[in-house]
Amino acid sequence: MKTKFVSLVVAGICAAAPAMADLVIPNMSYRTGAYAPGGIPYADGFNDYFTLLNARDGGIGGEKVSVPECETAYNTEKGVECYEATKGLGSLVYNPLSTGITYQLIPKALVDHIPIYTPGYGRTSAANGKVFEWVFNYPANYWDGASVAIKYLLDQNGGSLAGKKIALVYHNSAYGKEPIRTLQDLAAKHGFTLTELPVDAPGQEQKSQWLQIRRDKPDYVLMWGWGVMNAVAVQEAANIKFPMENFIGVWWSGSENDVVPAGDGANGYKSLAMHGTGMDYPLYADLKTFVYDAGKASGNGDQIGSVLYSRGVYAAMVIAEAARKAQELAGTSAINAVQMREGFENLEITEARMAELGLPNFGQPFAASCADHGGPGAAMLQQWDATAKKWNLITGFIAPDQEVLDPLIAADSEAFAKEAGITQRCN
């Protein structure tokens, strides 16, 4: 794989341009600033998977993969600049790793006809392929995550949350606000009280939120955080001696970088999980042989096997499988972005295929369709063992409450269709 850092000047773009035969899959990364603790491991895993495919398999379908990397600093304006600077390279798909950037790129995708893949983030209602033709967010989205967290708590409380108090500590951004409507509807359905506690970016100051939590004594705290906000929240929870087993983060608030700084105080903290944890998968043996031992690891090579490194690997794997499907459907290995979209829409990841890829029992199987760009939406729960310094999965995959989610997705996507003048398809 050719990993390049793309400059936002014409000369830099020209210098970074890949060979015409390459499959171009940009890496919109952020290795600097308050969000680097999440951005670095994800970017490294994303790069290393494509390095593996190039070194072991000669690329995808005989085509080498080029991954020009562009630093966004998790800044929406810079993210849009990265998109504009790289789309002319023949980019097949964008994975922005930012809900704010995703919202800005969705209208551009409608015009430029380049798909956007946002696993576990972005605009939740993009799961409705009838409206969002160019966006895919399988296998799960934020609203799924909120529902799974509540279903888990229902199970922990004998099927009832009536009278319970749940606080949501969230990044005060498009990302952090995503689960609020879902949690409000779930509160009405199950009889718990929801308190919403926004944390302004970057999230290093949270004293007032945790003083309120100490005063109000909620039964549970959910967190939609990112970057340094997560580690600060875990430390603040430990400082007020909030029971960590009752503190649950979304899958973007469940990495090693979020809990290690708090030491023993983080023990018992839980988070949602989109996929398995650790390096006990055959794929890692191939990564060692073809990438790590060959001196081709991305970045400093110090993020290998971490939760967010594995998520970068997962995203790259799904993109690679969509490219294979696109090549199959198009009858050519040198696919374009329109053909790549067809690959995403017709993609099926089975348990057998995951095993073939060296990731058995790693993620949930799914099959996309014209109408379904969101996948099954299930998630697991993992818990931090501070002594062993590792995450342990404590549940299997839990399905979300579609009775609550389907109407929300339909209403939000239909509003977007009306606003954008989109005629729904798949009829």
Side-chain angles (χ1 to χ4, degrees), residues 30 37 46 74-75 97 112 121 123 133 148 259 308 393 415 426:
Y30 34 95
F46 192 84
Y74 196 68
N75 176 278
L97 195 57
D112 295 334
Y121 69 94
R123 184 168 187 150
E133 182 178 2
V148 168
V259 287
L308 290 174
L393 292 171
C426 312

Side-chain angles (χ1 to χ4, degrees), residues 5-355:
F5 292 85
V6 180
S7 170
L8 294 177
V9 295
V10 173
I13 297 302
C14 292
M20 291 304 292
D22 289 343
L23 302 178
V24 182
I25 301 171
N27 185 348
M28 298 181 75
S29 64
Y30 34 95
R31 298 179 179 275
T32 62
Y35 303 99
I40 290 172
Y42 190 98
D44 286 353
F46 192 84
N47 287 342
D48 285 352
Y49 188 79
F50 288 116
T51 299
L52 171 65
L53 296 188
N54 282 341
R56 185 192 64 193
D57 306 337
I60 302 172
E63 302 283 349
K64 290 284 189 175
V65 183
S66 179
V67 185
E69 185 167 343
C70 190
E71 171 71 33
T72 72
Y74 196 68
N75 176 278
T76 297
E77 182 178 347
K78 288 183 179 179
V80 173
E81 289 175 351
C82 278
Y83 171 84
E84 295 294 344
T86 56
K87 69 179 183 180
L89 301 176
S91 300
L92 295 177
V93 60
Y94 282 90
N95 174 26
L97 195 57
S98 159
T99 294
I101 297 173
T102 298
Y103 267 78
Q104 293 301 311
L105 294 189
I106 287 174
K108 293 180 178 293
L110 299 176
V111 176
D112 295 334
H113 291 175
I114 303 174
I116 300 171
Y117 178 50
T118 60
Y121 69 94
R123 184 168 187 150
T124 295
S125 62
N128 183 1
K130 295 180 180 180
V131 172
F132 294 93
E133 182 178 2
W134 294 91
V135 190
F136 302 83
N137 58 11
Y138 44 62
N141 58 55
Y142 292 139
W143 298 354
D144 293 325
S147 174
V148 168
I150 296 304
K151 285 190 75 173
Y152 171 74
L153 293 179
L154 283 165
D155 182 67
Q156 297 297 296
N157 288 273
S160 175
L161 289 173
K164 298 292 185 181
K165 295 190 292 185
I166 299 177
L168 171 68
V169 177
Y170 67 93
H171 193 273
N172 195 14
S173 65
Y175 153 56
K177 295 173 184 177
E178 277 284 322
I180 292 176
R181 174 65 188 279
T182 301
L183 289 171
Q184 288 172 342
D185 284 11
L186 288 167
K189 179 177 181 177
H190 297 294
F192 62 85
T193 300
L194 177 68
T195 302
E196 301 158 20
L197 300 172
V199 175
D200 289 335
Q204 292 167 308
E205 178 50 58
Q206 300 180 40
K207 292 291 184 185
S208 63
Q209 289 88 347
W210 289 95
L211 285 174
Q212 183 172 339
I213 287 170
R214 186 172 68 177
R215 181 178 65 250
D216 294 349
K217 295 183 174 57
D219 297 285
Y220 300 97
V221 174
L222 303 181
M223 177 164 67
W224 252 248
W226 190 225
V228 297
M229 173 185 164
N230 292 335
V232 171
V234 171
Q235 184 63 64
E236 291 288 355
N239 290 345
I240 68 167
K241 295 182 170 51
F242 186 82
M244 298 305 286
E245 66 274 12
N246 293 343
F247 187 12
I248 303 173
V250 68
W251 42 65
W252 300 112
S253 301
S255 77
E256 292 80 1
N257 292 334
D258 302 329
V259 287
V260 167
D264 291 342
N267 190 57
Y269 171 73
K270 298 173 182 175
S271 84
L272 299 174
M274 293 173 57
H275 49 69
T277 63
M279 297 175 64
D280 191 21
Y281 298 94
L283 175 71
Y284 274 99
D286 281 356
L287 283 166
K288 182 177 187 302
T289 299
F290 292 97
V291 181
Y292 312 150
D293 290 351
K296 297 178 180 179
S298 179
N300 295 326
D302 58 350
Q303 300 295 321
I304 294 166
S306 67
V307 168
L308 290 174
Y309 179 94
S310 292
R311 190 156 309 149
V313 167
Y314 179 84
M317 178 274 291
V318 172
I319 289 172
E321 291 301 290
R324 293 185 207 281
K325 187 64 177 180
Q327 290 172 333
E328 174 193 327
L329 294 173
T332 178
S333 60
I335 54 173
N336 58 34
V338 173
Q339 292 163 331
M340 184 70 165
R341 195 211 73 82
E342 290 295 315
F344 272 103
E345 189 161 279
N346 291 279
L347 181 60
E348 180 177 9
I349 302 280
T350 64
E351 290 182 4
R353 180 56 180 160
M354 291 289 287

